[in-house]
Amino acid sequence: MPIDFNNKTQQFHIHNEFISYIMYVLPNGELGHLYFGQRLPEGRDYTYQKTNMNHVLKAYTADDDSYLCLEDTLQELPVYGRGDYRGESLRIKYEDGSYINKFTYKEHYVYDGIKQHTLVSMPHVHDEKKCGMTTLEVILLDSYRQVEVSLFYILSAKTAAISRHMEIRNLSSARVVIEQCASLNLDLNEASYDLLQLDGAWSRERHPSIRTLDTGVTSFSSIRGSSSANHNPFFALLSEHVTEDLGDCIGIALIYSGNFNARIEINQYKQTRAQIGINENGFHWNLESGECFETPQAVVSFSQNGLNGLSQNMHRFIDYHILPTPKRDEPYVLINNWEATYFDFDEKKIVEIATEASQLGMDLFVLDDGWFVGRDSDRSALGDWFVNKDKLPEGLAGLSRKIKALGIDFGLWIEPEMTNIESILYKEHPDWVIHHPAYPMSVGRHQYVLDYSRVEVVDTIYERISACLVEGKVDYVKWDMNRLISEPYSSHLSPDQQGELFHRHILGVYDLYNRLVSAFPHILFESCASGGGRFDLGLLYFAPQTWTSDDTDPVERLYIQNGTSYLYPLATMGSHVAADINHQTLRKTSLSYRSDVALFGTYGYEMDVTLLSDDEKNIIKKQIIFFKKHWDLIHKGSFYRLESPVIPSKKNVNDLLSWMVVSEDKKQAMVGVYQILTKPSPNVQRIYLRGLDPKGEYIETATNSFYSGAELMTFGYVLDDFYTGIASDLHDKLGKSQQIFGHGDFTSKIIVLSMKEE
Ligand code: GLA
């Protein structure tokens, strides 16, 4: 049984073959935490591992032998005002104006499988791949307040990860107000951690930063109405000397797309408290008598094998328990017309692009923004999902028919959460926009956020969008979201419910996702928020891939995709080969470099393919064949960062970045090596591969060279292609249009290895 409870010691031990999570009922009845990390032997009593000491100037729970001070006791549900002066994980305001409460152990249940969410529209872990999951529900009660809390721990049998969330039930006759409710609270005995988080802005999302934690509070959050490009709802705690491959680390991520807060506190006794949940800022929730509130789920994982190990745990967890069952479990390559045409297209142009794309071997054409009435720029028409017959005389049906006649699928861009003042929708329903009537409305990209806390808004948009999806026989949807919430006020909610708006809004977004995903089960959804402004586990539950960034420059993409890979699998990262010169950075790079970077993602094209030379078309045809051939390896293999700028290795003397994927059976592997800026007089450079079978013999496809797995991992793969400044070396080995790796800035090399069959 993966969950043991010892009645005598009141200790819970949650375990699988990788990890242990141990907690126990404290002498005062509250729930204490003991341990999270590498698997420990079961059947043992760990409650002797006390964490609190008898210090001066503290508040104790009793004046007898059962004395306990909450300030240095590791806990599962720390609360306000009873001697724990650190940040609480649950704060409730009661009718008497006070926040004081005490939740003590009442009972617990172990369920085979997943205990269902009461809010069915909220993203949550699932077990569609039948890996095996077990749920522990521990019920805690404040008998004075008559408020009950269920803490849920859902353990996956096949990954080193546990999800946690809580339900708060009001059993009293009075209203209570929840002001804060962290989905996960993890108290740790040590404070020797560095913090890794993923930060950014538009077009440079998820750049990792690492800082050493010290006494006090470190936090980051979003109050923008979405998880945001600025901070991702994820962090990792790294023990001393963690590298990509070595050392203990803990990763924590929230399965939620709205405002969040991540908070790490180190106290005076050098203990760490890590929390993640809905952002308490701008939030309160009225819980009426008999009602229940459920927090989003959070996932926590532990790795002994450094950051690559942690990422692989998370990738597996996301694949098994977050992503929907694949709609297309086969390789496909899409083309999107956004950077090719922006708003300036008609049916003829679109069909020309799609025709060329189909001849190049692409499988799906995605019509981006600008296809509906009044949408010739980003100033108008969001909310009016009626086809523009001037651009598309035969409607979506006609265009889709022509595209499908080419033998490829048809995809469509939508942005259902928004409207413009210049729209029929806004003119009819100005109160459907989130705003405060007394203040000017702030604006972003000339548009406004629809109030999805109102079900009639969700109903209307559902009707309009589904009509388009039916008409266009749509196979794929790019669901965009291009502005943040400001003036958070809903004319539909009562004054004392305004603190519920952000959460109700995102529940409305999830409601629309649920409805569309259920009504159109064959459609593949890709989420987008001005690129990667809402790349989170909440949306991945509905839309298994996210447009990683509006930035299609391969150099910036190396950093973005590298940062994103700390939590998210390659199969979730939308990656396109775009035109030269790049539209976001104005950088010039070769077609092969752009493709080699996009290869480590979903892979597609975003350029006007009708303008390509024959030479470029031939290259693209080969790129597509190559991607499709290795799709299985790229999307299903284990991913390793070999050289990452996040933890720079002293062995990386030539400004390289390098990634690798290895198939589960270790028989296939692919390595990408990317030169950023060339160094004169380069050193001999090796890269050390990972995850191979040390005893296996591998053949490198391009050169027919044989290597042992051990050799590639410990002696290293020698990159001897670097240009040393000797002009006679400048012969073109691969043909005019291919750059040689190491010969100049922004060159790349893809190494394919297969294990020799016996
Ligand atoms: C956002 C998206 C782009 C594109 C435009 C269309 O910026 O991130 O990919 O779809 O909107 O307006």
Side-chain angles (χ1 to χ4, degrees):
M1 196 63 175
I3 294 169
D4 305 325
F5 178 67
N6 183 322
N7 223 348
K8 193 158 150 256
T9 58
Q10 305 261 291
Q11 174 189 280
F12 294 92
H13 186 167
I14 307 171
H15 54 82
N16 62 17
E17 63 178 290
F18 315 104
I19 48 169
S20 284
Y21 190 106
I22 306 175
M23 51 197 183
Y24 69 129
V25 180
L26 294 165
N28 75 342
E30 291 178 71
L31 194 60
H33 176 85
L34 276 170
Y35 174 83
F36 175 59
Q38 187 194 340
R39 167 79 196 266
L40 288 178
E42 64 209 75
R44 290 188 57 83
D45 173 21
Y46 297 101
T47 57
Y48 71 92
Q49 288 259 4
K50 285 171 48 155
T51 56
N52 61 310
M53 293 183 79
N54 190 0
H55 299 111
V56 176
L57 208 60
K58 286 167 50 174
Y60 289 90
T61 57
D63 206 3
D64 56 25
D65 283 352
S66 73
Y67 79 90
L68 179 78
C69 173
L70 294 175
E71 193 172 357
D72 55 353
T73 298
L74 307 195
Q75 297 160 69
E76 287 296 314
L77 186 69
V79 292
Y80 166 85
R82 291 189 20 265
D84 183 350
Y85 299 101
R86 296 169 289 176
E88 59 273 15
S89 69
L90 175 65
R91 187 170 64 249
I92 300 179
K93 187 169 184 181
Y94 297 97
E95 209 188 8
D96 63 2
S98 137
Y99 292 90
I100 301 170
N101 48 25
K102 180 179 175 187
F103 292 97
T104 54
Y105 171 77
K106 181 181 162 194
E107 56 193 341
H108 73 271
Y109 297 94
V110 175
Y111 308 94
D112 194 13
I114 298 168
K115 162 90 176 170
Q116 266 307 319
H117 262 245
T118 46
L119 283 174
V120 284
S121 67
M122 195 122 84
H124 52 268
V125 297
H126 62 71
D127 194 20
E128 283 171 16
K129 292 199 170 146
K130 307 256 176 292
C131 299
M133 292 194 110
T134 311
T135 305
L136 168 65
E137 177 183 11
V138 183
I139 302 179
L140 308 170
L141 173 71
D142 183 321
S143 51
Y144 173 66
R145 301 291 187 189
Q146 281 302 307
V147 170
E148 206 171 71
V149 172
S150 283
L151 297 177
F152 289 92
Y153 303 81
I154 307 177
L155 176 72
S156 158
K158 291 208 177 147
T159 63
I162 295 177
S163 97
R164 204 195 97 155
H165 70 285
M166 64 174 143
E167 265 179 24
I168 303 146
R169 287 182 293 277
N170 183 359
L171 311 178
S172 77
S173 53
R175 167 195 282 189
V176 302
V177 182
I178 302 166
E179 293 192 351
Q180 194 217 342
C181 49
S183 297
L184 180 139
N185 182 94
L186 183 65
D187 282 0
L188 299 159
N189 270 318
E190 319 293 342
S192 50
Y193 297 109
D194 284 346
L195 172 71
L196 177 144
Q197 63 189 77
L198 305 178
D199 302 329
W202 174 75
S203 256
R204 57 172 167 80
E205 299 90 341
R206 289 171 301 287
H207 279 233
S209 69
I210 297 185
R211 56 179 141 162
T212 300
L213 291 168
D214 210 336
T215 312
V217 175
T218 306
S219 76
F220 59 92
S221 61
S222 167
I223 192 155
R224 294 160 194 266
S226 56
S227 48
S228 90
N230 312 87
H231 303 293
N232 201 259
F234 162 74
F235 60 92
L237 298 173
L238 322 184
S239 298
E240 286 163 286
H241 314 303
V242 160
T243 67
E244 287 289 357
D245 302 298
L246 299 171
D248 291 359
C249 35
I250 292 172
I252 293 177
L254 191 64
I255 307 172
Y256 190 59
S257 316
N259 292 345
F260 75 93
N261 187 32
R263 187 177 185 283
I264 303 99
E265 180 167 1
I266 294 180
N267 68 6
Q268 66 277 37
Y269 305 114
K270 295 293 175 204
Q271 296 165 314
T272 302
R273 170 166 291 172
Q275 297 172 331
I276 199 160
I278 293 177
N279 193 345
E280 65 196 89
N281 195 0
F283 170 82
H284 70 244
W285 193 271
N286 301 306
L287 200 62
E288 306 294 343
S289 170
E291 284 185 352
C292 168
F293 180 81
E294 188 173 42
T295 69
Q297 294 177 331
V299 52
V300 58
S301 176
F302 169 81
S303 160
Q304 272 190 298
N305 303 316
L307 283 161
N308 274 325
L310 185 68
S311 301
Q312 287 171 6
N313 290 348
M314 286 297 201
H315 293 179
R316 253 190 298 274
F317 180 83
I318 293 167
D319 182 33
Y320 295 161
H321 303 301
I322 300 285
L323 299 180
T325 307
K327 308 275 183 274
R328 294 167 171 266
D329 205 15
E330 60 191 8
Y332 74 93
V333 172
L334 72 74
I335 179 148
N336 177 302
N337 72 306
W338 178 241
E339 289 194 6
T341 63
Y342 294 102
F343 293 100
D344 185 16
F345 62 82
D346 55 16
E347 191 195 78
K348 184 169 168 287
K349 180 71 201 169
I350 293 301
V351 173
E352 276 168 18
I353 296 177
T355 306
E356 189 59 63
S358 68
Q359 284 162 7
L360 293 173
M362 300 183 206
D363 309 279
L364 164 67
F365 176 85
V366 181
L367 180 62
D368 211 282
D369 197 356
W371 54 267
F372 43 102
V373 165
R375 188 70 172 171
D376 290 323
S377 76
D378 60 9
R379 295 188 163 265
S380 53
L382 289 172
D384 301 341
W385 301 103
F386 311 116
V387 183
N388 183 341
K389 291 278 174 78
D390 292 338
K391 284 182 179 172
L392 307 175
E394 292 178 53
L396 288 173
L399 177 65
S400 165
R401 200 172 47 247
K402 285 175 192 155
I403 287 180
K404 291 188 182 211
L406 299 167
I408 63 175
D409 290 344
F410 177 57
L412 194 65
W413 177 96
I414 57 171
E415 192 178 358
E417 296 155 65
M418 300 289 156
T419 191
N420 298 99
I421 286 185
E422 276 307 309
S423 70
I424 306 162
L425 184 84
Y426 182 78
K427 289 196 173 72
E428 285 174 357
H429 302 287
D431 61 322
W432 279 12
V433 156
I434 293 180
H435 74 292
H436 192 289
Y439 295 92
M441 294 198 288
S442 303
V443 57
R445 210 192 184 203
H446 320 289
Q447 65 192 55
Y448 302 88
V449 183
L450 289 170
D451 181 355
Y452 267 44
S453 74
R454 305 173 72 134
V455 73
E456 65 274 29
V457 177
V458 181
D459 290 344
T460 304
I461 299 296
Y462 172 74
E463 293 302 327
R464 291 187 183 185
I465 296 284
S466 27
C468 299
L469 302 184
V470 170
E471 188 203 323
K473 292 196 168 54
V474 169
D475 304 294
Y476 159 107
V477 162
K478 177 179 174 187
W479 178 321
D480 210 342
M481 193 287 291
N482 287 312
R483 78 153 279 187
L484 314 169
I485 291 179
S486 57
E487 293 81 39
Y489 184 85
S490 168
S491 51
H492 149 84
L493 294 174
S494 63
D496 60 3
Q497 279 186 305
Q498 292 299 329
E500 300 179 7
L501 173 61
F502 277 115
H503 186 56
R504 286 188 184 278
H505 175 77
I506 205 73
L507 291 181
V509 174
Y510 290 148
D511 181 19
L512 185 63
Y513 255 112
N514 261 315
R515 293 193 210 186
L516 289 172
V517 164
S518 323
F520 301 94
H522 66 285
I523 291 185
L524 169 66
F525 285 82
E526 173 158 352
S527 80
C528 172
S530 298
R534 204 164 57 176
F535 203 141
D536 57 58
L537 299 184
L539 284 194
L540 284 179
Y541 174 81
F542 302 102
Q545 55 195 60
T546 303
W547 180 223
T548 311
S549 177
D550 273 354
D551 203 318
T552 49
D553 166 44
V555 180
E556 177 55 34
R557 269 300 184 119
L558 280 174
Y559 295 102
I560 295 173
Q561 291 175 207
N562 192 67
T564 306
S565 76
Y566 280 92
L567 176 61
Y568 303 98
L570 299 188
T572 66
M573 287 188 219
S575 57
H576 299 171
V577 180
D580 195 27
I581 296 172
N582 182 264
H583 293 200
Q584 290 76 38
T585 58
L586 303 180
R587 189 176 278 126
K588 276 186 79 61
T589 53
S590 69
L591 189 51
S592 54
Y593 195 68
R594 280 173 271 149
S595 171
D596 287 352
V597 175
L599 207 52
F600 284 78
T602 62
Y603 201 75
Y605 288 79
E606 184 148 346
M607 59 169 72
D608 188 346
V609 282
T610 64
L611 304 178
L612 296 171
S613 67
D614 287 346
D615 195 21
E616 288 169 320
K617 285 181 191 166
N618 285 333
I619 294 173
I620 287 181
K621 278 184 192 158
K622 287 188 195 139
Q623 290 174 340
I624 290 172
I625 291 168
F626 185 83
F627 171 74
K628 288 185 179 174
K629 185 167 172 207
H630 298 101
W631 166 82
D632 206 57
L633 168 63
I634 298 167
H635 281 202
K636 297 182 183 169
S638 296
F639 174 75
Y640 292 84
R641 290 169 297 270
L642 300 181
E643 288 297 349
S644 159
V646 179
I647 304 195
S649 117
K650 288 183 181 159
K651 294 172 184 160
N652 181 2
V653 287
N654 289 309
D655 197 14
L656 302 175
L657 197 144
S658 179
W659 298 322
M660 177 174 182
V661 278
V662 186
S663 63
E664 207 182 334
D665 61 8
K666 297 179 188 293
K667 291 193 170 159
Q668 306 292 327
M670 181 192 289
V671 180
V673 192
Y674 305 91
Q675 170 82 75
I676 304 177
L677 295 183
T678 305
K679 300 267 184 216
S681 293
N683 289 26
V684 171
Q685 173 79 58
R686 288 178 177 79
I687 45 164
Y688 297 87
L689 309 199
R690 295 277 174 264
L692 300 174
D693 177 353
K695 296 202 180 97
E697 198 178 354
Y698 290 88
I699 176 165
E700 182 185 0
T701 318
T703 58
N704 256 335
S705 317
F706 286 90
Y707 307 95
S708 71
E711 180 184 350
L712 290 166
M713 294 192 288
T714 56
F715 207 162
Y717 178 98
V718 180
L719 293 165
D720 61 355
D721 333 44
F722 292 96
Y723 178 58
T724 56
I726 297 167
S728 56
D729 285 353
L730 264 185
H731 53 278
D732 188 346
K733 290 183 204 157
L734 299 170
K736 270 206 299 285
S737 45
Q738 295 273 3
Q739 286 179 299
I740 300 172
F741 170 72
H743 285 220
D745 299 343
F746 318 135
T747 51
S748 52
K749 175 169 184 151
I750 299 293
I751 303 157
V752 177
L753 298 161
S754 322
M755 201 191 277
K756 200 175 141 202
E757 297 298 338
E758 290 306 311

